[in-house]
Each structure stands twice: as structure tokens, then as C-alpha cells.
Amino acid sequence: MRSLKKCLEDIAQSSSIAIFCHTSPDADTLASAVALKKIIKQNLKEYSINKQIDIFVDASEINDVNGAIIKNVEINTQNVPEYDLAISLDCATSNRMGKYEPLYFQAKRTINLDHHATNSCFADNNLVLKTSSTCEALYILAKIKNYVISDEVCNLIYSGIITDTNNLTQNVTYYTHKIITELVGRKINIEGLNEHFFKNNKKSKTFLLQKALNSLRFLSSDRIAVMKITKQDLADADATFDDSLGIVNHGIEIKGVEIAVLAIKQEDNSYYISLRGKNNVNVAQIASIFGGGGHDQVAAFQYKGTLKDLHQPFLKACRDELSKHAKENETETLFFGDYEEDNEDNPIIFNDDHEDE
Ligand SMILES: [Mn+2]
């Protein structure tokens, strides 16, 4: 079911509401959660005096930049034994809620508010909008209802939109820009938020980028750019998985590249494969073949296995997707280059041909 009317009825009639973010929380999931709670409190006063609204986020992998969003917000305190209503935000699948997924399904009714085209519609009421971000979707819903949207909420919505769109460079529509225009007409700390989210990298993140760029290679007549990050890279850069987020964008920024790939080896030896697309190449389609998902131009999947085993099926999926667009002659090339990182005993070989030049 997809019903805004029912969603608002449920919110109005529920005396206890639990809001859920996704694991490895980004600014969009956190900002939309805090904003939703504030919007309910500020607009449904007649109903919400005795309403208990709790936010749950599996925050073991949160970074300082995103953590600032929930710095003064109480999270993960279950104040009632069972919730009347559970609302997931920015979760394409229910397992994105991590350890809080069971609590979500214990609620009497469930709502799923999201913007991922691949959303599995796991709730009673699935509000999946074609927007840049969940924050944008939330803003649109609040506007439809003529709700009061405070300056504080505007700052949260703005944060979710600029981060999910990589500073308005991807997934943006006419409406995204229209909403940004409305938001900047309010009391928004544009300079401060831009600095907080885009000029605030730890040195470790930049060192990790250096490692990833060392691994950069091109396939399919330079239409695909591939990078990888090994456990050794993470250790050498003193970086965490979180520091790898966004590095894949450097691949898609290259002229002629239509698919950018970043393979990151994780603690449990699985790979997180991050994808970016351009020129209408649909990387969510590729990710979905491997159990992942996302948006047309921004997608990812988890792979349990070696890059060597992933190579053939993944290369085929990329070629199939590219073949829907302009056709190029392609030669067989190793997707992720050599596979030595699958053997943890092998040292990482750096390309030092040009050292000191
Ligand atoms: Mn999002």
C-alpha cells in the first residue's frame, strides 16, 4: 500500500512512534529522522502531547561529521514495550535497519519512507518517492500538508539533500533545485553546512584516496574506471570503511567514464562494491543482479567471495548495461587487475615507478 493519507492518520492516531535509520548512517537518514520527529512535534500538537517518539539507529559505524546531526538527540532508548507505529527512513530493504530490524516489525503498523528506486516495499505503507534524498521526500510531504517547517528543520533537510546529491551534482531534479531555492530563502547556514560536509575530511580519508587512486585502471575502451581498497590500504592510511565513502566519485568524474567501480575489502573479508554511472547507464540494474541496489547513477552491493570469482559475472553485467548505449569494441581485461589482495599473506605492491620524479 502507498497512501500519504493513511500515513498521516497513523501518525496522528499512534501514541508511540519509533523512527528507524539505516546502518552506517549517512546524513540523509539521520537528518530525516530528527526532522521527522520535530515536524510531528511541531505540527500535530493536539495529538502529540502524550506521544512518545523514539529514534533508533545502529550507530556503530557513525563518523564525526554525520554524528554531529544527532549530537544532542536521544537515540536508542526504548521508552515503551511495543510501538503503535514504526517508520523507516532511507532504508531500501528492511535489513538496512541492522540490529533494530526486529523492533521495527514488532510495531502494530509500519511505514517505509524512502527514495531508492530498488526499495523492496517491506512495510504496510510504502512511501517511496522519486526524490534526491529522503530529506527531500519528507520536505515535499510536509509541504503538501502545509505543515510549519522550522528553520532548524530546514537546516536538516538541506543537509540531507546536499550530501545525498554530492553537493547537487547527482540525482537532482527540477524539484530538488526548487526546494533548495526555498530552503536558502530561510535561515540556512549554507557556508557552515557546506564546510561541515565537504571541507572537513580527515587526513586518513585523503591518504586512503591516494591508495585508491594508485589502483585506478580502465576497461572497455575507458568507459569503466575501477579502483580497489585492500585491508592493508585501510591500515596504512589509518582509515576506516567510512573513509572510503565517496572515493568512487573520482572515477565517474573522468571524461568518457560511464561506470565507476570501487571494491572495498571489509573486516569479514566480503567486498563492498560501490558503483556510479553516467550517460543514462543504470548501475542500480548492475547492483541488483548481485543482490544490491540503489539509484540509477548511485548503487552498491555486498559480495561474499573473491574478486576473481566476481570478475566474469560482473564484467558481463557491466558490458550488458553498456551495450544498451553506444557500442564499443571490447577486449577481455581483468576487472580488478591482479587479485593478490585475496591472499592476505602477499604484500601490497605499490607502483613506485615515478617516485621522486
Ligand atoms: Mn538517502
Side-chain angles (χ1 to χ4, degrees):
M1 192 229 301
R2 175 184 166 163
S3 165
L4 175 59
K5 191 167 171 277
K6 182 81 174 74
C7 166
L8 296 168
E9 277 172 18
D10 280 347
I11 289 173
Q13 288 162 8
S14 300
S15 61
S16 60
I17 300 173
I19 296 171
F20 295 82
C21 300
H22 61 71
T23 56
S24 300
D26 63 3
D28 189 32
T29 194
L30 296 169
S32 58
V34 180
L36 175 60
K37 180 171 176 174
K38 287 185 187 296
I39 289 170
I40 295 171
K41 289 276 180 194
Q42 286 160 1
N43 288 280
L44 295 165
K45 287 196 186 94
E46 67 273 33
Y47 301 104
S48 66
I49 292 164
N50 296 315
K51 232 188 248 313
Q52 183 64 48
I53 305 176
D54 297 328
I55 296 174
F56 294 92
V57 46
D58 189 340
S60 48
E61 288 179 44
I62 200 163
N63 65 31
D64 294 345
V65 171
N66 294 330
I69 296 168
I70 51 165
K71 202 177 161 198
N72 298 314
V73 178
E74 185 188 59
I75 56 163
N76 302 339
T77 305
Q78 188 176 346
N79 287 302
V80 296
E82 189 191 45
Y83 289 93
D84 290 338
L85 180 65
I87 306 173
S88 63
L89 295 170
D90 208 38
C91 298
T93 52
S94 61
N95 62 7
R96 294 284 287 131
M97 286 175 267
K99 65 181 178 187
Y100 291 112
E101 185 187 12
L103 184 63
Y104 176 85
F105 284 112
Q106 276 166 27
K108 290 179 191 137
R109 288 177 301 282
T110 52
I111 292 172
N112 160 20
L113 176 60
D114 185 37
H115 68 118
H116 295 91
T118 53
N119 191 291
S120 66
C121 295
F122 49 85
D124 299 331
N125 193 357
N126 301 285
L127 297 167
V128 182
L129 278 73
K130 275 190 175 179
T131 54
S132 69
S133 52
T134 300
C135 278
E136 183 184 327
L138 179 61
Y139 183 84
I140 290 170
L141 299 182
K143 287 288 278 192
I144 290 172
K145 294 305 294 178
N146 280 319
Y147 283 164
V148 172
I149 302 172
S150 68
D151 288 338
E152 195 184 358
V153 168
C154 286
N155 276 277
L156 289 163
I157 301 286
Y158 182 83
S159 300
I161 294 176
I162 60 168
T163 50
D164 253 30
T165 59
N166 189 28
N167 224 353
L168 303 176
T169 61
Q170 65 203 15
N171 272 344
V172 285
T173 63
Y174 165 83
Y175 295 100
T176 314
H177 284 290
K178 195 168 178 291
I179 290 165
I180 287 289
T181 307
E182 287 178 19
L183 292 172
V184 297
R186 301 286 299 276
K187 250 186 160 177
I188 294 281
N189 183 2
I190 299 174
E191 222 175 297
L193 289 174
N194 276 288
E195 181 171 336
H196 179 76
F197 288 111
F198 297 104
K199 296 168 188 169
N200 206 8
N201 287 344
K202 289 181 291 170
K203 278 194 281 184
S204 58
K205 185 168 178 131
T206 305
F207 284 132
L208 191 64
L209 169 65
Q210 192 175 34
K211 301 277 182 197
L213 291 176
N214 265 335
S215 74
L216 177 66
R217 62 188 70 216
F218 298 91
L219 294 101
S220 293
S221 309
D222 295 350
R223 295 173 79 192
I224 307 176
V226 188
M227 290 181 278
K228 65 183 173 188
I229 289 173
T230 64
K231 281 186 184 176
Q232 191 64 48
D233 291 336
L234 289 164
D236 288 349
D238 193 21
T240 60
F241 172 77
D242 194 78
D243 291 319
S244 70
L245 298 176
I247 285 180
V248 67
N249 290 322
H250 289 269
I252 204 66
E253 285 167 6
I254 300 165
K255 183 179 176 182
V257 170
E258 291 164 278
I259 298 176
V261 186
L262 175 64
I264 307 141
K265 192 154 194 181
Q266 298 188 284
E267 264 313 306
D268 65 356
N269 286 329
S270 70
Y271 283 92
Y272 183 82
I273 311 286
S274 185
L275 303 171
R276 294 291 183 275
K278 76 176 183 232
N279 297 347
N280 299 319
V281 170
N282 186 338
V283 289
Q285 182 64 38
I286 298 169
S288 68
I289 294 170
F290 300 93
H295 314 283
D296 292 359
Q297 297 178 354
V298 180
F301 66 94
Q302 202 85 28
Y303 183 76
K304 284 190 165 67
T306 65
L307 291 182
K308 202 172 181 175
D309 292 336
L310 178 62
H311 170 73
Q312 279 302 341
F314 186 60
L315 182 61
K316 184 180 182 305
C318 288
R319 282 178 171 167
D320 286 350
E321 184 54 37
L322 285 175
S323 70
K324 293 174 191 165
H325 309 276
K327 187 81 184 149
E328 301 269 341
N329 285 331
E330 293 177 67
T331 47
E332 186 77 10
T333 321
L334 282 178
F335 213 103
F336 296 97
D338 42 48
Y339 299 112
E340 79 278 3
E341 84 287 356
D342 287 324
N343 177 354
E344 293 295 331
D345 297 330
N346 275 343
I348 302 302
I349 301 154
F350 294 109
N351 180 356
D352 57 1
D353 290 348
H354 306 289
E355 205 172 49
D356 298 325
E357 270 180 19

